[in-house]
Amino acid sequence: MKILVTGAKGFVGKNLVANLYAIKDEKNKTRPNLVIEEIFEYDLDTKPALLDEFCAQADFVFNLAGVNRPKDNMEFMNGNFSFASTLLDSLKSHNNRCPVMLSSSIQATLIGRYGESDYGKSKLAGEELFFEYGQQTGAQVLVYRFPNLFGKWCRPNYNSVIATFCNNTANDLLITVNDRSTELEFLYIDDLVEEMLDALEGTPHRCHYDGLLLIADENGQYCYVPVTHYVTLGEIEDLLVKFKNQPNTLVMPEIPVDSFASKLYSTYLSYLPESKVSFPLNMHTDDRGSFTELMRTEKCGQFSVNITKPGITKGQHWHNSKWEFFIVVAGKGLIQQRKIGTNEVLNFEVSGERIQAVHILPGYTHNIINQSETENLVTVMWANEAFNPERPDTVFEKVEE
């Protein structure tokens, strides 16, 4: 399959093209039915004559080219309608009836035949042009009305509020929120790309519009991405504050898989300057070694790393309710546990050569002994709750007298 992507250097184009190449080069094997022979990239700096050449060969066309922030509003129609007309005329001239996708906007759904903005007018005009083309040629037409987009590589201070907020927060610049209660619909770039790959495989999600309402419909005239998120500007601001503070608090907010928070955090990280990509941790050191807290979570406890010098014993305490995992990743040692009020000692030989997790049981005093004479013992620890100095739940008692 040969694929033409117009607007290939734009936000959506860059993400789509990168994923297409990953499939073409067999670095992404999640789409075994997609065999990509060639990817034609077309953008403003591409020689115009190449468009005709690409249209002659393409088996699928993604038309992502468009104008969002022109100096003159007349450029909306030129960029969003005239280029689409040129593209379709070129396909016609080669009698190429391959499927064609159009990137449109929810602004085209606004009340009135051409919407309420010049941008909306140009997008709706482009849609009508594509539908007419489909009727005339019999080619499959896939028109998507995208809501507010966000994700990595999106240009800040342009047409994405999330890109601007993430960039400013990551770089210690102010963000302005006029109304925290304003709710918008957002579409994450990776969800958009997955839908584009579905479309390539012939399984786009289709819908029709009842006024402004999108209704899933397998026979619908339009297409849509089934995963979007409705979020207020205040919610975005609050999450970004937590993300920014994480290196200081070590608290990772609750971020469920595939949630808006997860996608926002991925986006935020992509705007971090080099100076913030790494950050120091507070190592508590003494003549026995060191203890360093790595991360706290809002609901799933605390992660730490403990380094024990050769011949040293650490621990010698017990907890009423707290439970832990000890995982030795380097060195050789012994973990001992004894139930309070008994003499029986549980012994667990541990080594970085055979990594295992050891439950540290509530009500059992425990220690960890570095049995090496030369190597440090490195232990990754997880506790079900973050340490609270006001309620430490830690009682000193040796395992063995």
Side-chain angles (χ1 to χ4, degrees), residues 163-323:
T164 302
F165 281 12
C166 285
N167 175 74
N168 287 14
T169 302
N171 290 281
D172 301 319
L173 302 174
L174 292 177
I175 62 175
T176 301
V177 181
N178 294 322
D179 185 353
R180 284 174 51 85
S181 67
T182 298
E183 184 179 69
L184 298 172
E185 182 184 10
F186 291 99
L187 170 58
Y188 183 53
I189 188 61
D190 288 0
D191 294 325
L192 189 162
V193 169
E194 285 301 308
E195 173 63 21
M196 296 300 95
L197 299 179
D198 286 345
L200 266 182
E201 291 187 327
T203 58
H205 292 83
R206 288 199 168 269
C207 68
H208 71 267
Y209 284 88
D210 183 1
L212 301 179
L213 183 64
L214 182 156
I215 300 174
D217 178 356
E218 62 182 14
N219 297 313
Q221 185 181 31
Y222 289 88
C223 298
Y224 74 106
V225 182
V227 181
T228 61
H229 304 271
Y230 287 88
V231 189
T232 67
L233 296 181
E235 290 171 328
I236 295 169
E237 182 182 25
D238 292 344
L239 280 170
L240 290 176
V241 169
K242 289 184 177 181
F243 297 162
K244 181 176 182 177
N245 290 338
Q246 191 276 329
N248 296 319
T249 65
L250 296 184
V251 176
M252 180 61 66
E254 185 177 8
I255 304 180
V257 175
D258 292 331
S259 66
F260 174 79
S262 173
K263 298 166 186 179
L264 181 66
Y265 191 57
S266 292
T267 304
Y268 167 76
L269 290 176
S270 72
Y271 291 92
L272 284 180
E274 181 180 355
S275 61
K276 291 187 178 181
V277 173
S278 67
F279 56 92
L281 296 171
N282 185 18
M283 294 181 65
H284 300 277
T285 61
D286 57 27
D287 56 2
R288 301 174 304 158
S290 67
F291 176 85
T292 306
E293 185 179 346
L294 302 178
M295 180 187 300
R296 296 185 174 208
T297 68
E298 290 185 337
K299 295 185 178 180
C300 297
Q302 169 182 305
F303 295 86
S304 308
V305 61
N306 185 47
I307 298 176
T308 307
K309 291 184 178 181
I312 295 296
T313 299
K314 280 190 172 184
Q316 307 284 44
H317 59 244
W318 58 278
H319 312 294
N320 282 295
S321 298
K322 183 186 298 184
W323 68 89

Side-chain angles (χ1 to χ4, degrees), residues 69 154-165 167-168 173-174:
R69 288 274 187 99
C154 189
R155 178 178 170 184
N157 302 306
Y158 188 58
N159 66 336
S160 168
V161 63
I162 287 184
T164 302
F165 281 12
N167 175 74
N168 287 14
L173 302 174
L174 292 177

Side-chain angles (χ1 to χ4, degrees), residues 27-96:
K27 296 175 181 177
N28 176 353
K29 298 183 179 181
T30 63
R31 300 274 179 165
N33 296 325
L34 273 181
V35 179
I36 300 175
E37 179 184 352
E38 199 163 357
I39 302 166
F40 303 128
E41 300 178 52
Y42 189 88
D43 213 286
L44 291 174
D45 59 354
T46 309
K47 293 180 180 179
L50 286 176
L51 181 64
D52 191 62
E53 181 181 324
F54 295 159
C55 285
Q57 301 180 60
D59 299 306
F60 196 106
V61 176
F62 290 103
N63 183 33
L64 307 175
V67 174
N68 296 306
R69 288 274 187 99
K71 295 179 180 178
D72 188 324
N73 282 352
M74 289 298 295
E75 294 180 40
F76 278 129
M77 197 60 73
N78 290 332
N80 295 329
F81 177 83
S82 298
F83 175 78
S85 180
T86 300
L87 171 69
L88 297 180
D89 285 344
S90 184
L91 290 170
K92 281 182 186 178
S93 70
H94 294 286
N95 198 28
N96 187 344

